[in-house]
Amino acid sequence: MLVGVVACMAALANEGPAAVAPAAASPAAMPGTGQRPRIGLVLSGGGARGLAHVGVLKVLERERIPIDVIAGTSMGAIIGGLYASGMDAERLERELLQVEWSDVFANRVDRQDLSQRRKEEDFEVPSAVEFGLREGKVRAPLSAVSSRGLETLLRRYTLPVRNVTAFDRLPIPFRAVATDMETGQPVVLSEGDLALALRSSMSVPGVFAPIEVDGRILGDGGLVDNLPVGVARAMGADIVIAVNIGTPLAGRETLGSAIGVTAQMINILTEQNVQRAVASLRGDDVLVAPQLGTYTSGDFDRTRELIDLGAAGAEQALPRLAPLALEPTAYAAWRAQRGGAAAPAVVLEFIEFQGASFTNPERLQDQFESRAGQLFDRAKAENDTRRLAATGDYVRADYRIVRDGEREGILFELEEKPWGPDYLRVGLNLRTDTTGDNGFNLKLLHVRHWLNAAGAEWRNFVQLGEKPALATELYQPLNVSLGLQNDWFVAPHLALRRRPVILYRDQDGKALELARFQNDTQHVGVDLGRPWGSLGELRLGLGWLRYNNEPDSAVADLVQGFAPQRFTETGLRARAVVDQLDYAFFPTRGYRVEAAASGGVRNDASGSNRYYRVEIEASGVATFGGHTFDAYALANATSAEGLEIIGRYTLGGFQRLSGYRTDQFSGNTVALLRLGWRTPLTGTAAFTRGLVLGGSLEAGNAWQSTDDASWSDLRTGGSLYLGSDTGIGPVSVGMTYARRGYFGLVFYLGRP
């Protein structure tokens, strides 16, 4: 896609100015009555650098300079459109300083708002890279960043003028510039939904997906007219105040990668159309060019500094701006005339959906906060939009108030992922350390959404490598009319797993290998369950398990002649999970508790026995200032009959008793307590949440049975590491130590 955009831009650059902007209209003749000239404000695009426009607006208001028309591109369209809608500079500044930009540009809604099924996918395959299968082809996402947060923000700010469809009827006439991605021509947006027009103008290639409006695929306007002086002239501006904050060309050091070269090409071609616009300025026009230095288009966390730099740039242009100022009385009259409109109260008479083909959003309506017969509430509408986005089925989930005759209601506008409804995630688990302990697993997760209108899903998991596995589950909601908070479901499932088990003996502080085993399990079951909204999930199921432990090699008398451990289990299992972690890996706040209990009959060659199994895992995380602290506890226990030599559970390795070999301890009862600390070393970087420094202290052990468990047997270990949550999963490299184990170095990719 990006290559196509660059080629289109190059073609436009060769065509000359006529292909970039509408032909400049002659200035309107000045009437003989002595009326002042019409002043047009032109705001360029530039991502976060466009926040400097707010500083310019502050100075224009302070100096009592009226604005009669506004034209903007990309971020300039957003700032200009909001100002044209009635927001003054002070309110713009206040609102933008409060925005959590990391949430606005997040790829999905907060993890706590996801259903438990979506949360579990983070643990199964710790990779943010999602592909899809559609029409027999593997497809990739269209953008690197979700635009949902930006659309919600724009919708919120433009609600007071939601009934204005002709932008000439805004408090200040306005135009936004976008690019027709099929023809490469500029598109001047003068009517329609203001929030949608602003979003269309800021569709940065490779960052935000293009958006379809009136049958045209619209991309970022900066590709063809980043400083739309000609558009302001066509609106009747006699004098233009042009504010250029475009991104400067990068240095040689950025040209060492394909991404850097491509970004530089876009900047070069954009700068060419900007320079043509600057060259078209006339003698009375004013060019404001704030000196933004090395600030980039992605520096949204520097809002305060960018606004201040914009104000400083306008201050430098005051000698040319001063002649445009009005007397206090005249300016007050102008301000009063353009005052922002108050949003009228609306009683919702209907709720409708648009844009769904393979999904059934009506299924979720019972859990919506917005309901017919109630007054419209912006916060409720935003929460409902968030619920739709949390399904993972849409690249866009927006709402707007619409009128059907005399009735008014909410229309939720949806755009389904063009790479769905079959989704693929690929992940890796890789570990190695200085003891020679290595492991590798390749993971593939396939989830088919919306097998039917009730929202059935089919999940398939394949793992190849050290621990091969195959699992499948069909998730079938039982009643289409119920919302997720009380929708019971049935889920038949099958899992086949194989893993190596090494039996160790502790000798002089070293782990001496006694024997290797191959453990195979086959599990078939069916669960009846119920989601707890976005908190978690409860399941009760019936299952059958076949367990087989075969010796692979034996090097000690302990296992000579050892008969394979083989048995089957048939019983009931209850599982409850509550997950409110903000991130699956390196979380900064929240908690997660998972508890399962099962019991039934275990059959082996010697007969039948009753068995039980209890498994509990809990974690809590809190952040104070720049320091994150977490606590993790694990306690598993099962009856020992049939598991006398190799226990059901293992413990050992990085973060699971650091300083010991991976799975060094085996038993039917295990316990682990881990206390951790982390602090960030860098901010968010490409494909990562940044680098953290962390450490852990751990205590735990494994015992043959619960009767053998003793506090005096606890082993301790710890780690000090550098880590990062990346697009391909969590990565850690560090040192581990245990007093009765090893000191060593470890590298981990994936979940420990």
Side-chain angles (χ1 to χ4, degrees):
M1 174 181 169
L2 193 57
V3 174
V5 170
V6 173
C8 176
M9 291 174 62
L12 289 169
N14 291 331
E15 290 181 17
V20 177
S26 299
M30 296 300 296
T33 60
Q35 289 183 334
R36 66 176 180 83
R38 288 171 59 84
I39 300 173
L41 179 65
V42 177
L43 304 179
S44 77
R49 292 165 63 93
L51 295 168
H53 291 315
V54 179
V56 174
L57 289 171
K58 289 175 60 180
V59 172
L60 294 179
E61 288 187 348
R62 187 196 71 199
E63 298 298 319
R64 305 189 304 277
I65 298 174
I67 301 299
D68 299 292
V69 298
I70 299 176
T73 296
S74 196
M75 194 63 181
I78 289 177
I79 301 299
L82 296 180
Y83 191 72
S85 73
M87 295 179 71
D88 59 22
E90 180 183 356
R91 186 185 168 200
L92 269 172
E93 179 181 42
R94 183 174 65 251
E95 294 284 354
L96 294 176
L97 286 172
Q98 294 174 354
V99 172
E100 292 289 341
W101 292 103
S102 59
D103 294 337
V104 170
F105 298 125
N107 276 324
R108 64 182 186 184
V109 300
D110 290 343
R111 186 173 180 274
Q112 294 97 323
D113 295 328
L114 300 176
S115 70
Q116 190 57 36
R117 294 185 63 75
R118 300 288 88 85
K119 293 173 186 173
E120 292 296 328
E121 291 171 6
D122 290 341
F123 290 113
E124 290 177 333
V125 177
S127 169
V129 182
E130 179 185 78
F131 298 92
L133 286 174
R134 195 162 189 173
E135 299 175 351
K137 297 180 180 179
V138 176
R139 300 192 178 190
L142 297 178
S143 62
V145 175
S146 169
S147 62
R148 180 199 60 81
L150 178 62
E151 289 161 4
T152 298
L153 200 66
L154 296 176
R155 182 66 59 196
R156 181 187 307 166
Y157 291 156
T158 58
L159 277 174
V161 293
R162 60 176 177 259
N163 294 323
V164 178
T165 57
F167 299 164
D168 279 339
R169 294 179 54 230
L170 291 170
I172 299 177
F174 170 72
R175 299 289 186 271
V177 178
T179 301
D180 188 319
M181 299 302 290
E182 293 183 286
T183 67
Q185 294 300 308
V187 177
V188 179
L189 300 170
S190 61
E191 60 183 8
D193 179 3
L194 179 61
L196 188 61
L198 302 184
R199 161 66 178 87
S200 301
S201 183
M202 190 172 173
S203 298
V204 183
V207 179
F208 292 130
I211 192 167
E212 183 173 349
V213 178
D214 296 332
R216 294 182 294 191
I217 304 298
L218 300 184
D220 195 282
L223 300 174
V224 289
D225 196 359
N226 201 44
L227 188 66
V229 172
V231 175
R233 296 249 193 255
M235 296 175 71
D238 300 310
I239 295 176
V240 169
I241 300 173
V243 185
N244 180 27
I245 48 83
T247 304
L249 300 184
R252 177 189 294 264
E253 66 278 3
T254 67
L255 304 180
S257 67
I259 294 177
V261 171
T262 302
Q264 184 78 327
M265 291 173 63
I266 293 176
N267 287 341
I268 290 172
L269 296 173
T270 301
E271 186 62 19
Q272 289 178 354
N273 74 62
V274 168
Q275 291 306 316
R276 287 195 289 270
V278 171
S280 72
L281 295 175
R282 300 168 181 167
D284 291 336
D285 297 333
V286 181
L287 175 64
V288 180
Q291 299 302 304
L292 304 183
T294 59
Y295 286 91
T296 72
S297 59
D299 283 334
F300 284 92
D301 58 339
R302 312 296 292 275
T303 302
R304 174 76 276 163
E305 297 98 310
L306 287 163
I307 291 176
D308 290 344
L309 287 173
E315 296 275 1
Q316 294 180 352
L318 278 181
R320 293 184 56 78
L321 291 171
L324 304 178
L326 296 180
E327 293 297 322
T329 302
Y331 187 74
W334 175 82
R335 287 288 297 266
Q337 186 178 12
R338 69 169 292 271
V346 174
V347 176
L348 301 177
E349 298 185 65
F350 59 85
I351 296 177
E352 294 181 351
F353 301 87
Q354 178 179 294
S357 58
F358 65 80
T359 63
N360 179 26
E362 287 85 354
R363 177 184 179 274
L364 308 180
Q365 189 169 335
D366 281 352
Q367 66 173 303
F368 278 15
E369 297 179 30
S370 301
R371 296 187 180 275
Q374 296 181 351
L375 283 174
F376 166 75
D377 185 288
R378 175 189 58 78
K380 291 181 178 180
E382 291 181 4
N383 289 340
D384 295 336
T385 303
R386 190 178 302 112
R387 286 184 176 89
L388 289 164
T391 65
D393 292 312
Y394 307 107
V395 292
R396 285 191 63 243
D398 194 8
Y399 76 91
R400 58 189 175 97
I401 304 298
V402 296
R403 180 178 292 276
D404 181 6
E406 298 299 319
R407 303 163 64 239
E408 285 190 302
I410 293 183
L411 175 65
F412 289 96
E413 295 183 318
L414 307 171
E415 182 180 345
E416 295 169 337
K417 290 181 176 179
W419 61 94
D422 285 279
Y423 300 104
L424 298 173
R425 292 172 69 172
V426 180
L428 295 173
N429 269 118
L430 175 66
R431 74 171 194 278
T432 185
D433 61 29
T434 50
T435 69
D437 189 7
N438 304 291
F440 171 81
N441 290 290
L442 174 66
K443 299 183 175 187
L444 174 64
L445 177 68
H446 163 257
V447 182
R448 173 60 158 91
H449 291 195
W450 296 99
L451 286 169
N452 54 40
E457 294 184 4
W458 185 27
R459 179 186 298 179
N460 298 289
F461 174 76
V462 177
Q463 180 168 287
L464 303 175
E466 178 191 23
K467 299 177 180 179
L470 174 65
T472 185
E473 179 187 72
L474 178 65
Y475 175 90
Q476 176 63 62
L478 295 180
N479 194 320
V480 69
S481 66
L482 297 178
L484 288 180
Q485 71 273 25
N486 59 358
D487 191 1
W488 291 86
F489 63 86
V490 63
H493 51 270
L494 166 70
L496 310 175
R497 301 183 185 277
R498 171 175 292 177
R499 65 186 179 95
V501 178
I502 302 175
L503 186 62
Y504 293 96
R505 182 176 70 195
D506 191 359
Q507 180 174 326
D508 299 327
K510 302 297 182 182
L512 177 64
E513 181 179 319
L514 294 178
R516 290 177 177 265
F517 297 84
Q518 179 176 287
N519 177 263
D520 292 312
T521 59
Q522 299 93 41
H523 180 260
V524 179
V526 58
D527 291 337
L528 178 67
R530 173 181 176 178
W532 291 344
S534 59
L535 283 176
E537 184 181 82
L538 173 67
R539 291 189 179 215
L540 178 64
L542 174 66
W544 177 87
L545 172 73
R546 180 181 179 185
Y547 185 96
N548 186 22
N549 221 11
E550 297 274 0
D552 187 49
S553 65
V555 294
D557 292 339
L558 176 65
V559 293
Q560 292 299 321
F562 169 75
Q565 291 177 318
R566 295 174 180 168
F567 58 79
T568 62
E569 292 178 349
T570 304
L572 294 174
R573 177 175 182 261
R575 174 181 178 266
V577 58
V578 175
D579 188 342
Q580 287 293 285
L581 296 176
D582 60 346
Y583 297 99
F585 306 102
F586 304 113
T588 62
R589 67 181 187 277
Y591 58 92
R592 186 178 193 273
V593 179
E594 180 179 357
S598 58
V601 177
R602 182 180 292 166
N603 295 292
D604 59 19
S606 63
S608 299
N609 294 286
R610 293 285 181 181
Y611 80 90
Y612 72 87
R613 189 157 57 249
V614 178
E615 300 164 341
I616 301 174
E617 188 176 10
S619 60
V621 187
T623 297
F624 305 94
H627 300 275
T628 297
F629 301 91
D630 67 77
Y632 171 86
L634 170 73
N636 294 339
T638 186
S639 50
E641 290 81 5
L643 294 163
E644 287 79 9
I645 295 182
I646 300 296
R648 182 62 178 264
Y649 308 109
T650 58
L651 205 61
F654 180 59
Q655 302 279 290
R656 290 178 56 84
L657 273 184
S658 299
Y660 293 97
R661 302 289 293 271
T662 300
D663 298 330
Q664 180 175 335
F665 306 106
S666 170
N668 298 306
T669 298
V670 299
L672 174 68
L673 175 64
R674 181 178 70 231
L675 301 177
W677 160 85
R678 294 186 299 276
T679 188
L681 296 181
T682 66
T684 301
F687 306 111
T688 77
R689 288 171 44 217
L691 186 66
V692 300
L693 172 66
S696 68
L697 296 175
E698 303 147 43
N701 208 342
W703 299 272
Q704 179 59 26
S705 68
T706 53
D707 294 336
D708 300 327
S710 171
W711 290 105
S712 62
D713 292 337
L714 290 180
R715 296 172 178 266
T716 59
S719 68
L720 183 67
Y721 62 89
L722 294 173
S724 182
D725 193 1
T726 75
I728 59 173
V731 176
S732 299
V733 57
M735 299 178 292
T736 60
Y737 173 75
R739 184 176 60 85
R740 297 161 62 184
Y742 300 88
F743 171 82
L745 303 178
V746 63
F747 172 82
Y748 237 99
L749 169 61
R751 185 184 184 187

